[in-house]
Every structure is written in C-alpha cells, then in structure tokens.
Amino acid sequence: HRHLLGIEHLKPHEITAILDLADQYVDLNRRQVKHSDALAGLTQINMFFENSTRTQASFEIAGKRLGADVMNMAMQASSIKKGETLIDTALTLNAMHPDLLVVRHPHSGAVDLLAQKVNCAVLNAGDGTHEHPTQALLDALTIRRAKGRLHRLSIAICGDIAHSRVARSNIMLLGKMENRIRLIGPPTLMPAGIAEFGVEVFDDMREGLKDVDVVMMLRLQKERMDGGFIPSSREYYHRFGLDADKLSHAKEDAIVMHPGPMNRGVEIDGTLADDINRSVIQEQVEMGVAVRMAAMDLLARNLRARDRQEGVMV
Ligand code: CP
C-alpha cells in the first residue's frame, strides 16, 4: 500500500504484519524503542484540522523516534483561515516534497481526497465519522497483548456508535479477525443498517455485556450531534455508563478500554477507568506510539521500494 487511509483496505495478514512490527517497537515490559533510523532522511508533516492530544502527540513522537524530520502544521495559524482550500493547502505542502503526511479532518472522505492529490504517503489520523485506522490498530495490539490472541473473542463496543470513526474502524478490523462483536447503545445512537455488518445490537448494557472478553467504551460525541437528540449526561450514565455493577456481567477477566478523550461520569466511572486490574486505557496510549511507528515504517519501506524501481536517488 502507498497510504494508510482505512481498515477497509487492509487484509487480515496485513493487519497482523503491522501488529507484529509494532511488537518490535515495544517489549513485553512495555519498554519502548526510542531511537531508530527507519525514517532517516524523510520528512513527515502532521496536519490536524481537528483537535487531538493522543493521535497528534504519538504521531510526532513516533516520527521523531524513527529519525524523521517532523513538522507540525499549526492549522489555526495557517492560510486555511484566509480561505485557502484543503486541496490547495495539500498541493502547497506537496511542493515541499514531504514523504509522509498525517492528516486529521472533520469531514468524512477528506483524507482520501487529499491522498489523490499528493505524491507522498498519507496516513489518516481520523476523518469525520468515517475511519480512524491507527486507533483500531492500537486497540487490536492492546487486545492481542492482554488476551494472547486477536480472534474468537467476544467484544462489546458501547455508546455513541453512530458518530464514532473509532467504532467503524474497530468493527471492520475485529470482524476481519473473526471476533464476535456486540454493539450496545441507545437506538438513537446506533447507525441504521448496522446489523448487516455481522454484529449483534443491544440497548441494554447488562444484557449486551454478558460474558464478553473486552468492553470498549466510547465518548458521547456531542459536537457531531448538530441539532439532533442529545441525551442528558445523568440519564446516559445511568443507562449506558460503565460502572462496576454493569461490568460484573462481563467475564471476570474482561478488560476495559476507552480510546480517549473520556468523560468521567458520563460514559465511564472514573474509579473504574483508573483500576489497573481491569482498565488498559493507559496501555492503549502506549501502544499508539508503537503502532504508529510500525505503520510509518512499513509505508516508508514501500516508498523506498517504489523510488528504487523508478530509479530515484534514495
Ligand atoms: N483517541 C483519539 O483519537 O484521541 P485524540 O482525539 O486525543 O487524538
């Protein structure tokens, strides 16, 4: 592949290859590789048109640890504010010959469009409600390390499924790896026709969580509910917030996940989120760096192979 735009385009063996390489960047004691020259001589530009803490910081750290020259575009201070379009901005940056472009954008499909206009490798860091492939990959790595496998697990994804690119990418990835997926949430936050993806749908947490191995909570994305029904935080927490009582219906060794940023007391109880015996939320962040190192390393190998074929000096 030239780009990493979505899980949709990946085959199971390619997902496994990314996770296997990520395992080489973080050992079983969670010590991370901090110096490598895998991206030496390459230029990485991060363009975030939407807020981010985890994804932006970990892509920057990943690039620096692999020896790339990393530049973070301050989109708020860019000429986008003067009316320059996304494509013109991309073409302008493309003319500076970056090798890797990491892009987050509020509109679904914007990153795919941009990838068609540039010569470098593009990594989707989240586009609207469409895909967030590196999040699904880091979730997969976290699950595989905690459970020792990434197949035949029963996995519940809970909450605001309709607005979640994390849910979409995870449903595709976990489905490709032959897991049983249960979606739990209010019918108003469940996308129409979702059952066609081979998932089971529940609107009761206790019923849906019964005997699952993994509980993945999602943030209530109020910023994407423009004008639609917004549940009150109190009522939502009562029915769908994960607490010890609801979790007791899952398997005794079920792990608790959340991609972040989380709203404590809305979709998850704060004490449970901090319980290191159940919660792997911090480990997800750690795996985020390793997975992004692996994804960029693999794309850089493809870029170099392409350049060699074309006789470009590398
Ligand atoms: N999980 C995630 O994408 O977090 P950020 O929005 O902070 O990058």
Side-chain angles (χ1 to χ4, degrees):
H1 294 269
R2 183 161 144 212
H3 307 297
L4 176 58
L5 299 175
I7 298 298
E8 189 185 353
H9 312 291
L10 296 181
K11 296 187 175 71
H13 74 89
E14 292 169 329
I15 292 168
T16 302
I18 297 172
L19 301 187
D20 289 349
L21 183 57
D23 265 335
Q24 292 180 28
Y25 284 121
V26 53
D27 72 14
L28 291 175
N29 295 316
R30 291 156 66 176
R31 280 187 302 252
Q32 305 191 355
V33 171
K34 292 198 172 171
H35 292 288
S36 151
D37 59 4
L39 300 188
L42 300 186
T43 303
Q44 172 190 338
I45 300 182
N46 298 333
M47 295 167 74
F48 280 67
F49 294 89
E50 213 182 47
N51 291 352
S52 169
T53 296
R54 281 146 284 270
T55 313
Q56 206 211 313
S58 59
F59 263 116
E60 182 178 353
I61 289 172
K64 286 180 172 164
R65 286 185 178 166
L66 294 177
D69 295 311
V70 184
M71 190 191 80
N72 289 309
M73 277 293 294
M75 299 320 300
Q76 293 300 320
S78 73
S79 289
I80 286 271
K81 293 282 155 197
K82 299 178 196 163
E84 190 164 44
T85 65
L86 168 69
I87 297 305
D88 282 338
T89 305
L91 291 175
T92 302
L93 292 173
N94 189 53
M96 299 178 201
H97 296 264
D99 302 285
L100 299 149
L101 213 47
V102 179
V103 187
R104 170 171 286 190
H105 199 279
H107 295 138
S108 305
V111 183
D112 290 48
L113 184 69
L114 187 147
Q116 293 165 24
K117 308 283 180 187
V118 297
N119 303 321
C120 60
V122 175
L123 293 102
N124 182 359
D127 64 322
T129 58
H130 178 225
E131 281 240 33
H132 193 350
T134 54
Q135 178 69 46
L137 288 162
L138 75 88
D139 290 339
L141 185 62
T142 309
I143 294 170
R144 195 172 81 166
R145 288 166 75 110
K147 294 287 160 199
R149 66 182 200 275
L150 189 60
H151 60 275
R152 292 201 200 144
L153 292 167
S154 183
I155 300 171
I157 306 178
C158 314
D160 183 0
I161 312 286
H163 300 103
S164 178
R165 56 196 177 207
V166 175
R168 231 182 109 80
S169 290
N170 264 306
I171 290 166
M172 280 189 267
L173 189 155
L174 297 168
K176 283 176 196 241
M177 305 311 277
E178 296 183 8
N179 295 284
R180 219 173 108 192
I181 303 169
R182 299 175 148 213
L183 304 181
I184 316 173
T188 48
L189 297 178
M190 204 57 76
I194 191 70
E196 287 164 26
F197 281 74
V199 297
E200 292 174 90
V201 178
F202 298 84
D203 65 0
D204 180 275
M205 284 288 276
R206 290 170 183 85
E207 204 186 318
L209 290 179
K210 192 163 168 25
D211 294 333
V212 300
D213 300 288
V214 176
V215 184
M216 193 181 284
M217 301 308 299
L218 298 171
R219 182 171 67 85
L220 203 52
Q221 302 202 25
K222 292 185 180 173
E223 75 276 20
R224 297 197 207 280
M225 295 181 189
D226 44 49
F229 172 72
I230 302 181
S232 89
S233 297
R234 239 167 93 110
E235 172 69 7
Y236 185 82
Y237 182 68
H238 176 67
R239 287 196 57 201
F240 297 101
L242 187 68
D243 56 16
D245 173 53
K246 294 190 190 88
L247 183 61
S248 70
H249 294 262
K251 278 192 186 150
E252 226 170 277
D253 62 352
I255 55 168
V256 173
M257 307 180 74
H258 193 305
M262 67 182 153
N263 292 310
R264 291 168 184 261
V266 180
E267 66 263 1
I268 190 165
D269 168 59
T271 310
L272 186 54
D274 296 333
D275 178 357
I276 55 166
N277 295 314
R278 305 306 295 269
S279 164
V280 293
I281 294 171
Q282 291 309 319
E283 194 168 342
Q284 285 174 267
V285 178
E286 293 175 35
M287 295 310 121
V289 177
V291 151
R292 288 169 180 127
M293 287 171 84
M296 290 197 291
D297 184 350
L298 288 170
L299 289 183
R301 292 181 200 189
N302 294 347
L303 277 179
R304 288 188 160 121
R306 188 191 66 179
D307 285 350
R308 267 196 300 276
Q309 265 179 0
E310 291 173 4
V312 178
M313 196 170 63
V314 286

